Amino acid sequence: MAGSDDSSRRRKPPPLPWTVRIQAAAFAFGHRLDGTIRRSLFFLGDLKKRATPRSNASHGVRSTDITIDASRGIWARVFSPTAVAGVSTPPLPVVVFFHGGGFTVFSAASRPYDALCRRLCRGVHAVVVSIDYRLAPEHRFPAAYDDGVAALQYLDANALPAHVAPVPVDLSSCFLAGDSSGGNMVYHVAQRWAASMSSSSAAEASHRRLRLAGAIMIQPFFGGEERTDAEVAFDKACRILTVARADWREFLPEDVTRDHPAARVCGDGVELADAFPPAMVVVGGVDLLRDWHARYVETLRRKGKEVTVVEYPDAFHGFYAFPELADSGKFVEDVRLFVDEHRSNKPCLGRVKGRERNDPPIQALVLMAEDAGVSSQKFEAPRTTEEEDDDSTFIVLDGEVWRTKKSKPKAPPKRMEAEKERRAVTEEEEEEAPELEMIGPDDEGHWMTVAQFRRYWNKRWSGYYGSFEDTNEPVEGNPRANGMDALQIYPVKLAAARGGLQLPLDVFGMVAIRDPLNPVIVEVDLKVKGTAESMDIYLKMAGGSDNSAAGHRKPSLPWTVRVQLAALGLAHRPDGSIRRLLFSLGDLKASASARPDAAGVRSGDVTIDASRGLWARVFSPSSSGDADAQPVPVVVYFHGGGFVLFSAASRPYDAFCRRICRELRAVVVSVNYRLAPDHRFPAAYDDGVATLEYLDTNALPADVVTVPIDLSSCFLAGDSAGGNIAHHVAQRWASVSAARVRVAGAVLIQPFFGGEERTDAEVELDRVSALSVAGTDHYWREFLPEGATRDHPAARVCGDGVELAEAFPPAMVVIGGFDLLKDWQARYAETLRGKGKQVRVVEYPDAVHGFHAFQELADAGKLVEEMKLFVQEHRSKRAV
């Protein structure tokens, strides 16, 4: 673990968003210098959130409070995904969560924990039961552990009421999770529950419904009398936790030391039950408890237990409570992966006659026996074609024809009656085909959008079963559209890849697809009739298309981001033109610094062409000191701003390029190209090419770059207008031969493309963020030659008429779900594909235009990680 690196533990904690610093300072103000709590002051700031048993309109999560033990005042807040009428949901895992707070503060109703559990429910797709246990010092050891065990006993005996969790739950996939002191509780409650299972007779154990599938300990609160190096190094590194506060006096029995077994859980003397579940331990790089975490992990491993360690090098104690931090988003994803790996009913499609039903989506259908009178035990493969009678329905499993023998239910179930009435099913469709549901379009059972579903199929199964082709034309007058408000039906053709494959099919069913641009789970009718050579799959989407969904809601952004976007919007007039004085006041500049920052990144300004005022800011990672160090790639970056705003010295771009340098370990050359309207097309493109010519001739000065660079691994990157520049510079450089600089790839972040046509996204997403249609029109008027329209080749780069050089590099195109330019970006990606170019599309459904500039957004961190993967994939082989 990274915790053993003495040099790393002495570093300063990374800079935090000021919103996080304010909240941490407020929390610290609730404590005295000796670590004790100013309770009246703390409880004034500990705002509670009431649970409401209704669906959250934004995220599809509902919450309800239940009583566990009224005599002890133990209760829990249950978070559940909302059920969808007419759509069956497979049993979901249960996450029992214990909040942190040093055993003394917070509750399940505290807003940070309400929000965290809601995010876990949504991100992990599980029912989360957040326990409100009794607090110290009124209730010392072992009260909290007793309450945790009581909660498991309650679930084992009663499960969860239907009005609380309207989705089926799987108690054999129960995970304990908790942060800080809650992580300590996870360990002790898991140990006590596992020990009780081991001591129970086989008969008693068989009657228990609840099985612990895993224990998730998030920066668990462990300790001892010894002061570790991390406790010394990181005391007060973040104001949330200090050594004085982590002193255990309030919780442990009076007159005991911190070496009490409740606190010190590492070492050979620790006993672990045989049934102790697989563990996940989350460790923060600047958490003063990290050494205790490392020792605990080693103890688990020595005891032969399965343990997964997830480390976040820049994370302080309690980072997960701040959704504006990128690591907070990564944490939820890591929890989901752990749960998916260890749950008992892993997201696959079951077994049929001893074989895995891990088939392509259309064929891997799960029959709903309660509704259709068909059970999985009635699957059997016909031995001869004579056996294929009218009483059977045939579907494909593992490339073979399988038959389902139907048994008619005596009376149609109520849900089927309601579905038939709602959908106005025709007589032909009421024939005895069973009701089917597909619960997982991909191999792991994850939901997809229609577009994702189509891409998945074509990538995985087109060579075997044929490819999807979307006609994009709604079916008029289809009987299934009757009685449905604001719904349209889109046919998707599935052409068989195997000639002569005749499979008798008569299947009707429902598919649930979760569209990330729309909080509603939309329904998709799956209608397959005929042979495998001719299938019609009708996709019935709310609002008529994928693209329209985003227009029905606003992006969810931290208020700090909203303030900055609003400030940028104020700098523009309603007609899109710029209040330049106001903008210049807000466009703060950062100076280059030859002194390395905390991450070892240094910067220096280099003149490219003094005659036209062209220069670049160069960011270089620290040198390893190894004479044989491998050369690092070079990223030439073009900033955004509609060709008219910002510079390489603007603070957001200085910070973003610094981040790219640090995370990718690459030299970043941020080009300060000339701006319009003083320098119109093609000035910016000329400056980009001139920068590559400078690198090709001179490389970079040794006093600016202290690491060897690999000019055969040069990547062009840019956002918005900078993404447009990256495309055109890549196109022009592709015709240059015998150059040292080889453009290995182009990263276009929400590139600024356009045309005279108004796309759906431009209409629906106008003014969703700081970017507006009027603003983009103004930028084009400022940059394009006077009298030119937006169909000028500089702006419109999609369509068959676009020319691309043979040597045009692989491209990565980043698209945001709330970006009004997203339709142009999607068309550009399709154009590249149509020209036979390698292109990778990375989509962030909740991202506004310019999201990458806000480090507090989780998607900004994910973007840098995607860039790193792209660079690693395409950099020169000899450099690796």
Side-chain angles (χ1 to χ4, degrees), residues 444-728:
E444 297 180 353
H446 300 153
W447 303 107
M448 295 182 178
T449 65
V450 172
Q452 290 170 329
F453 176 67
R454 186 164 55 248
R455 286 196 299 271
Y456 162 77
W457 179 286
N458 290 340
K459 179 180 178 182
R460 179 69 187 274
W461 297 107
S462 60
Y464 193 81
Y465 293 100
S467 60
F468 269 126
E469 299 174 4
D470 191 352
T471 67
N472 287 322
E473 297 179 359
V475 177
E476 298 295 340
N478 188 288
R480 288 190 179 280
N482 295 338
M484 296 183 182
D485 297 332
L487 296 178
Q488 290 181 332
I489 299 177
Y490 287 77
V492 177
K493 301 294 184 182
L494 175 63
R498 291 185 169 184
L501 182 64
Q502 299 290 331
L503 301 177
L505 294 168
D506 187 2
V507 178
F508 160 68
M510 291 288 296
V511 180
I513 294 182
R514 185 184 297 277
D515 185 350
L517 298 182
N518 192 330
V520 180
I521 298 180
V522 300
E523 297 174 352
V524 180
D525 275 348
L526 171 63
K527 179 183 177 184
V528 182
K529 283 188 177 290
T531 69
E533 291 184 346
S534 177
M535 299 184 190
D536 290 342
I537 290 81
Y538 295 100
L539 304 180
K540 180 185 62 187
M541 298 296 298
S545 71
D546 286 343
N547 291 335
S548 66
H552 297 309
R553 66 185 180 99
K554 293 182 179 180
S556 177
L557 299 171
W559 65 273
T560 52
V561 176
R562 295 199 301 269
V563 168
Q564 295 174 73
L565 289 175
L568 183 60
L570 284 175
H572 291 76
R573 301 182 181 92
D575 64 356
S577 60
I578 305 159
R579 298 182 173 99
R580 291 193 175 272
L581 177 60
L582 186 60
F583 177 82
S584 63
L585 291 174
D587 183 22
L588 302 179
K589 300 296 194 291
S591 300
S593 175
R595 182 177 180 180
D597 61 15
V601 175
R602 54 185 293 171
S603 60
D605 294 340
V606 174
T607 300
I608 303 296
D609 186 342
S611 65
R612 44 181 160 170
L614 177 60
W615 58 274
R617 178 157 294 177
V618 180
F619 299 84
S620 174
S622 59
S623 173
S624 64
D626 188 351
D628 298 327
Q630 293 291 333
V632 301
V634 177
V635 176
V636 177
Y637 193 86
F638 304 102
H639 66 80
F643 301 102
V644 299
L645 302 175
F646 297 115
S647 76
S650 296
R651 283 192 180 180
Y653 286 105
D654 182 277
F656 185 59
C657 290
R658 190 175 295 274
R659 188 175 189 178
I660 295 174
C661 174
R662 178 178 71 247
E663 300 295 335
L664 274 62
R665 187 160 175 78
V667 168
V668 179
V669 181
S670 181
V671 182
N672 197 72
Y673 55 88
R674 293 169 293 169
L675 298 179
D678 302 314
H679 306 279
R680 292 178 177 268
F681 166 89
Y685 305 156
D686 293 341
D687 292 353
V689 173
T691 301
L692 297 188
E693 291 172 342
Y694 173 90
L695 292 174
D696 191 67
T697 303
N698 306 287
L700 287 167
D703 62 329
V704 175
V705 176
T706 59
V707 294
I709 61 174
D710 176 25
L711 290 175
S712 69
S713 292
C714 181
F715 292 81
L716 305 184
D719 68 284
S720 196
N724 178 296
I725 296 171
H727 163 78
H728 288 285

Side-chain angles (χ1 to χ4, degrees), residues 52-54 60-66 76-84 89-95 121 126-129 154-155 158-171:
T52 54
R54 62 181 180 84
V61 175
R62 54 179 283 158
S63 61
T64 309
D65 294 343
I66 62 172
R77 178 158 294 178
V78 182
F79 300 83
S80 170
T82 53
V84 180
T89 303
L92 299 183
V94 177
V95 176
C121 174
V127 171
V128 179
V129 183
Y154 172 90
L155 291 175
N158 306 286
L160 287 168
H163 73 280
V164 172
V167 293
V169 298
D170 176 23
L171 288 175

Side-chain angles (χ1 to χ4, degrees), residues 140 249 251-256:
R140 292 178 177 268
R249 294 190 299 269
F251 175 67
L252 294 178
E254 294 182 4
D255 300 326
V256 304

